[in-house]
């Protein structure tokens, strides 16, 4: 897959959704949409982070989660949640060819973070082509 580009209106819409996510939880400090093959599409970070590297790793993490689910004889992988000493990373498929990843501090409530991600994913899926 070649690098995916979104329209100017699509970019504005994504940034509005990212802003809403960050307003709903102060713990969220990074949101990234990438392609399933690891290309950075759009992002919003409160800290300096390597978006191209993260996009590649997030797509790999989701692919691994999907493979594990299949090998464990379970249905589709919906989320991959990584809990770290400094926070959480939630990664989920957004449409067929996109991945949404959210990075948050340990101040995040995991249930609320999950809800914020699901709501954002629904909005983005309905409005991105």
């Amino acid at each position: 897959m070649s690098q995916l580009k979104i329209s100017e209106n699509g970019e504005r819409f994504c940034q509005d959704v990212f802003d809403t996510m960050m307003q709903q939880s102060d713990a969220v400090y990074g949101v990234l949409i990438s392609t399933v093959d690891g290309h950075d599409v759009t992002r919003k970070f409160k800290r300096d982070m390597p978006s191209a590297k993260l996009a590649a790793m997030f797509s790999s993490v989701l692919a691994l989660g999907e493979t594990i689910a299949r090998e464990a004889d379970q249905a589709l992988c919906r989320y991959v949640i990584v809990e770290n000493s400094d926070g959480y990373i939630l990664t989920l498929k957004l449409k067929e060819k996109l991945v949404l990843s959210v990075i948050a501090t340990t101040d995040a409530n995991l249930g609320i973070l999950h809800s914020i991600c699901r709501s954002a994913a629904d909005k983005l899926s309905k409005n991105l082509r």
Side-chain angles (χ1 to χ4, degrees):
M1 177 191 307
S2 62
Q3 181 117 12
L4 182 75
K5 301 281 185 195
I6 58 176
S7 69
E8 193 174 307
N9 286 339
E11 176 67 26
R12 264 195 307 275
F13 179 79
C14 289
Q15 292 301 314
D16 288 345
V17 171
F18 298 165
D19 287 341
T20 299
M21 295 172 76
M22 291 178 172
Q23 289 167 2
Q24 290 174 321
S25 175
D26 290 338
V28 174
Y29 65 90
V31 184
L32 173 72
I33 294 177
S34 54
T35 61
V36 293
D37 61 350
H39 295 282
D40 176 12
V41 176
T42 187
R43 82 223 56 78
K44 181 166 187 112
F45 295 143
K46 290 182 181 176
R47 303 175 182 176
D48 186 35
M49 291 187 278
S51 62
K53 287 182 183 179
L54 288 171
M57 290 184 278
F58 291 151
S59 68
S60 294
V61 162
L62 187 59
L64 184 58
E66 290 173 341
T67 301
I68 290 168
R70 193 170 40 254
E71 292 300 319
D73 218 10
Q74 294 188 349
L76 298 172
C77 172
R78 293 177 42 199
Y79 285 87
V80 174
I81 300 171
V82 179
E83 182 176 354
N84 307 294
S85 60
D86 294 330
Y88 304 96
I89 298 169
L90 273 72
T91 302
L92 63 144
K93 200 166 233 179
L94 177 67
K95 300 187 77 111
E96 186 177 315
K97 298 180 180 180
L98 298 174
V99 175
L100 174 66
S101 300
V102 178
I103 308 166
T105 67
T106 54
D107 295 332
N109 173 298
L110 192 53
I112 291 171
L113 190 60
H114 185 269
S115 177
I116 289 168
C117 291
R118 183 76 260 150
S119 176
D122 289 344
K123 287 176 191 170
L124 291 163
S125 290
K126 289 175 186 170
N127 289 285
L128 291 178
R129 289 180 172 71

